[in-house]
Amino acid sequence: MFQRLAVLVAGLALLAGCGGGSGSDAAKPTTKPAPKVYTLKQLESALPKLEDIPGASKITRRCPQDKTDCEAYRKDTVATTATIEPASLVGAEQVRVRATPMDFVALHGIHQDDAAAATKAVASARKLQEPYVGVFDLPKRRVGEGVVPATHGKGSVDKLSIDAWTGIIAARTEFASDAKSDRGLLIATVHVASGRTSVTAFVSLSAAGREPGAATELADNLVRSYLQRLG
């Protein structure tokens, strides 16, 4: 579902170190704590509430509670989606004209089959973002079951580590190629994994009236806050 929403909107190894020294400060290998194992109930309990999402005006979906709306999600997924108040009337007008969830956030926690599957999910997320690295000008194209409209803009993908969690943070400013008056979208994705658990945040905001890093900051904070509640 996360990928489908990303299509509609815009088109969504920590290394062990050694310390050097001599005598009593001889090199000692450092070890990485074993990843925690979370139950699906724990992943669900840590999901953000409305007050945990800055600017959110409405929670639009919580999974697995909203069973009918959550049928498209893969098994063992918990999720919260919410709409964000536009920063300006221009942003609100864009929402009406394009009829897409432009001011929107989603946070997913997924209980993967194993650690290898969680690592693969991060790699897949990075591959999905590769067309948006640097200056891009992409034609209308089909991705999965959806269609991504022609867009242009500039983006980046960087590595991200949060304690035992590793993954990526991707950000871009995107403009619809077929809309001369389009003020653009700020889109950010964070995807991290630890053990067999992966966590994804997706944020899409109308750029009008917002700072360039607004989506990136929100996506990053959503994930960090979720991981803190998860413990």
Side-chain angles (χ1 to χ4, degrees):
M1 182 63 177
F2 170 78
Q3 292 182 357
R4 183 176 70 82
L5 286 171
V7 166
L8 290 172
V9 173
L12 186 280
L14 182 65
L15 298 178
C18 293
S22 60
S24 61
D25 293 323
K28 297 179 181 180
T30 57
T31 58
K32 173 183 172 183
K36 292 184 179 180
V37 178
Y38 300 100
T39 66
L40 202 59
K41 187 64 178 177
Q42 287 174 313
L43 294 180
E44 180 184 354
S45 297
L47 286 172
K49 299 178 176 61
L50 186 64
E51 59 270 22
D52 297 321
I53 307 174
S57 56
K58 180 182 179 182
I59 294 291
T60 54
R61 182 172 301 154
R62 274 184 78 88
C63 297
Q65 295 98 314
D66 302 335
K67 294 183 180 179
T68 301
D69 290 340
C70 299
E71 289 178 353
Y73 286 78
R74 59 154 284 165
K75 182 183 176 183
D76 293 340
T77 297
V78 300
T80 291
T81 63
T83 54
I84 300 291
E85 287 291 344
S88 71
L89 293 178
V90 174
E93 181 64 24
Q94 284 181 313
V95 172
R96 288 196 293 271
V97 172
R98 296 182 64 180
T100 56
M102 295 174 64
D103 293 75
F104 172 86
V105 303
L107 181 73
H108 290 195
I110 304 177
H111 201 243
Q112 301 283 359
D113 295 335
D114 50 35
T119 299
K120 184 177 179 180
V122 172
S124 296
R126 185 180 186 94
K127 186 175 181 180
L128 189 65
Q129 299 300 323
E130 286 176 356
Y132 303 101
V133 175
V135 176
F136 62 88
D137 189 353
L138 303 173
K140 180 179 178 180
R141 63 208 184 279
R142 180 171 292 279
V143 176
E145 297 180 357
V147 175
V148 180
T151 57
H152 64 276
K154 186 176 182 180
S156 63
V157 179
D158 296 295
K159 293 181 180 180
L160 178 66
S161 294
I162 306 173
D163 297 327
W165 300 79
T166 58
I168 64 163
I169 181 167
R172 67 183 186 269
T173 301
E174 180 175 295
F175 302 89
S177 298
D178 59 353
K180 294 182 181 179
S181 62
D182 183 18
R183 298 295 185 92
L185 296 177
L186 303 175
I187 298 175
T189 305
V190 173
H191 195 120
V192 294
S194 179
R196 63 175 295 182
T197 305
S198 63
V199 174
T200 299
F202 172 78
V203 176
S204 176
L205 304 175
S206 52
R210 288 193 170 94
E211 293 296 321
T216 308
E217 181 179 358
L218 180 53
D220 184 66
N221 287 341
L222 279 174
V223 170
R224 291 178 186 273
S225 296
Y226 178 72
L227 297 183
Q228 186 175 27
R229 289 191 297 271
L230 196 55

